[in-house]
Amino acid sequence: MTRLSHLTRRSLLKNSDYKMRILYGVCGDGFGHSSRAMEIISHLQKKGHKVLVFTFGQATSVLKNAGFRVVEVEGLELIFKNNKPSLKETIINNSGRICRNLIDFYRIKKIVDNFSPDICISDMETVVPVVSFFYSLPLVSIDNQHIIAHLKMKVPKGYKKDFYLTKIGISGLLKADAFVILSFLKKRTRKENVYIVNPILRKEILLLKPKIKDKVLVYQTKPDKRLIKILRKIPEQFVIYGYNMQKKEGNLEFRKVQDKFFENLSDCKAIIATSGFSLISEALYLGKPYFAIPLKQFEQELNALFVMQSGYGEYSEKPSKKKIEHFLANLDFYRKKIKRHKINPKEAFAVIDRVLKKVKKEYYI
């Protein structure tokens, strides 16, 4: 398909039945971005829209295997050293990625011209916002990170430096026409182009019928040998993901990510994991107490603080045997608190539909 002129596109989009061509950028770090993108893209395609995905890293195979049309680009990634984000390594690594995207400019341009998008969506991905700018296309941001940039929040003293650095980074990442922000809590905002919605849950989660069995689910983004040593000393059964191996060692059962993850998530009595937004959302929906071990980045620290302050579990950057045992001894208390937390998994899709319609009208009609 050849690139449409602005006038031709405006003429087509005046027709309310016209289905849009959407260029969707998905951050490839971890599985949280790709898991919610799968649900959003499926929803958009059911509405008749055509979607082309730009992504990188782990999300590339995940979204390709789901049957979506995917183009791999060089995305910006957070680089870890000794289980901590490294600013120096991140800058060095991403400088090379930016250069490779510049070298690859004509391939990307050809793909964009052939697809001829009407609108762009970005979930913390950086190439699609650049495309939006150069092609003068409307951009919608859909993620949970922008809550840091757009809402006022009380930040504990020890986290203020991380908060302001993160806020500056996120605010400078992209300039969108609308922001759909996924949040644990329903907060109000006076900004007309900012919409706060409930988390998006995978369809597999919505189909689960949770039970409480004897195992504790453990999930780590990066392997943590220190945590494994602690868990060996605790008289509980742990099923562990994130170490890319399949074996049983005493009270520890290691599994690869795709192996019975939903089953174990549904049946576990508690979760010990890094404090990613998506997994915490799923845990709360299923009623599972959560021991959060945040990565050294403010968004994860913010999620972990929410878990602890809400009474849904505990939080520690350096978990000890004592802290984990205290958590496991108080699961009934956390479950009672979690019962009060309500999630409407359909809300985000209705808001996304409304925002796309509004942006289309403001931009083209």
Side-chain angles (χ1 to χ4, degrees):
M1 181 175 179
T2 57
R3 183 183 172 189
L4 297 176
S5 70
H6 190 77
L7 288 173
T8 303
R9 195 186 309 279
R10 177 175 288 180
S11 177
L12 286 169
L13 289 168
K14 281 182 179 180
N15 182 351
S16 60
D17 294 328
Y18 176 76
K19 303 304 179 183
M20 290 187 289
R21 306 176 73 83
I22 301 170
L23 182 62
Y24 198 135
V26 181
C27 175
D29 277 341
F31 293 102
H33 300 276
S34 58
S35 65
R36 67 171 165 246
M38 285 174 66
E39 303 306 322
I40 296 171
I41 296 168
S42 295
H43 171 79
L44 294 173
Q45 289 182 337
K46 285 177 183 175
K47 292 284 183 176
H49 303 301
K50 289 182 171 60
V51 182
L52 174 64
V53 181
F54 276 17
T55 192
F56 58 95
Q58 294 169 317
T60 304
S61 59
V62 170
L63 295 173
K64 276 186 177 179
N65 292 339
F68 302 127
R69 186 180 172 192
V70 176
V71 174
E72 188 169 15
V73 294
E74 291 285 349
L76 305 186
E77 290 185 302
L78 187 63
I79 306 302
F80 289 81
K81 192 172 182 179
N82 299 323
N83 292 324
K84 296 179 182 178
S86 169
L87 179 61
K88 180 182 176 182
E89 295 298 326
T90 296
I91 291 172
I92 292 171
N93 184 279
N94 287 322
S95 296
R97 290 170 180 271
I98 291 169
C99 289
R100 286 192 291 274
N101 271 331
L102 290 173
I103 293 168
D104 210 20
F105 171 78
Y106 288 106
R107 178 184 75 95
I108 294 172
K109 182 179 184 300
K110 185 177 180 180
I111 291 168
V112 173
D113 285 345
N114 286 337
F115 182 65
S116 191
D118 302 308
I119 195 167
C120 297
I121 294 175
S122 175
D123 184 342
M124 294 300 289
E125 191 277 331
T126 54
V127 174
V128 166
V130 173
V131 171
S132 165
F133 175 78
F134 279 104
Y135 282 78
S136 298
L137 296 170
L139 175 66
V140 175
S141 168
I142 304 175
D143 59 50
N144 59 286
Q145 285 83 0
H146 271 88
I147 197 165
I148 297 169
H150 289 281
L151 291 185
K152 291 181 179 179
M153 54 182 66
K154 293 181 180 178
V155 182
K157 289 183 180 179
Y159 297 93
K160 287 191 175 181
K161 180 183 176 182
D162 287 346
F163 167 71
Y164 286 114
L165 287 173
T166 304
K167 185 171 183 176
I168 291 168
I170 290 174
S171 299
L173 185 65
L174 57 85
K175 302 297 181 184
D177 297 276
F179 295 87
V180 179
I181 301 175
L182 309 169
S183 172
F184 297 122
L185 297 175
K186 191 71 175 175
K187 295 186 177 182
R188 293 184 179 180
T189 174
R190 293 181 179 179
K191 297 180 180 180
E192 290 185 1
N193 68 332
V194 176
Y195 306 83
I196 312 298
V197 298
N198 280 194
I200 290 171
L201 301 172
R202 289 179 279 187
K203 59 181 178 295
E204 292 89 347
I205 298 296
L206 299 176
L207 294 172
L208 293 176
K209 295 180 180 179
K211 299 175 184 176
I212 301 174
K213 294 188 178 179
D214 61 344
K215 290 184 180 180
V216 178
L217 185 142
V218 180
Y219 177 83
Q220 292 288 287
T221 306
K222 304 289 180 182
D224 184 345
K225 293 180 180 179
R226 181 179 171 277
L227 177 63
I228 295 300
K229 287 180 180 179
I230 293 170
L231 298 180
R232 290 187 198 280
K233 299 174 184 177
I234 298 174
E236 295 280 356
Q237 296 297 312
F238 299 96
V239 56
I240 302 170
Y241 291 89
Y243 291 73
N244 195 32
M245 57 181 170
Q246 195 94 356
K247 64 178 180 178
K248 194 170 185 345
E249 295 180 354
N251 65 329
L252 310 182
E253 184 180 354
F254 294 89
R255 289 185 177 273
K256 295 188 177 179
V257 172
Q258 67 272 22
D259 184 42
K260 295 186 177 180
F261 182 78
F262 291 115
E263 180 183 329
N264 285 311
L265 182 60
S266 178
D267 293 345
C268 70
K269 66 180 182 180
I271 296 170
I272 299 172
T274 45
S275 47
F277 179 83
S278 294
L279 186 54
I280 292 177
S281 301
E282 292 170 352
L284 296 181
Y285 182 78
L286 297 171
K288 306 295 181 180
Y290 204 102
F291 189 103
I293 307 173
L295 300 173
K296 296 284 185 177
Q297 59 189 71
F298 182 72
E299 187 238 327
Q300 289 239 343
E301 291 167 346
L302 183 68
N303 294 340
L305 283 169
F306 162 77
V307 169
M308 184 179 70
Q309 292 172 352
S310 301
Y312 301 155
E314 297 295 335
Y315 156 37
S316 177
E317 293 179 3
K318 291 186 177 179
S320 64
K321 181 174 179 286
K322 184 179 179 180
K323 289 176 181 177
I324 292 175
E325 287 181 330
H326 171 78
F327 166 70
L328 295 173
N330 289 279
L331 298 183
D332 287 339
F333 170 80
Y334 306 130
R335 290 188 189 110
K336 287 178 183 177
K337 291 280 188 177
I338 292 171
K339 278 185 179 179
R340 302 173 190 170
H341 186 84
K342 304 299 180 185
I343 295 177
N344 177 4
K346 296 180 181 180
E347 180 191 35
F349 299 112
V351 172
I352 290 169
D353 289 342
R354 193 165 74 244
V355 168
L356 290 177
K357 187 176 181 180
K358 182 173 182 284
V359 170
K360 181 183 81 169
K361 183 178 180 181
E362 290 175 348
Y363 215 84
Y364 291 113
I365 300 173

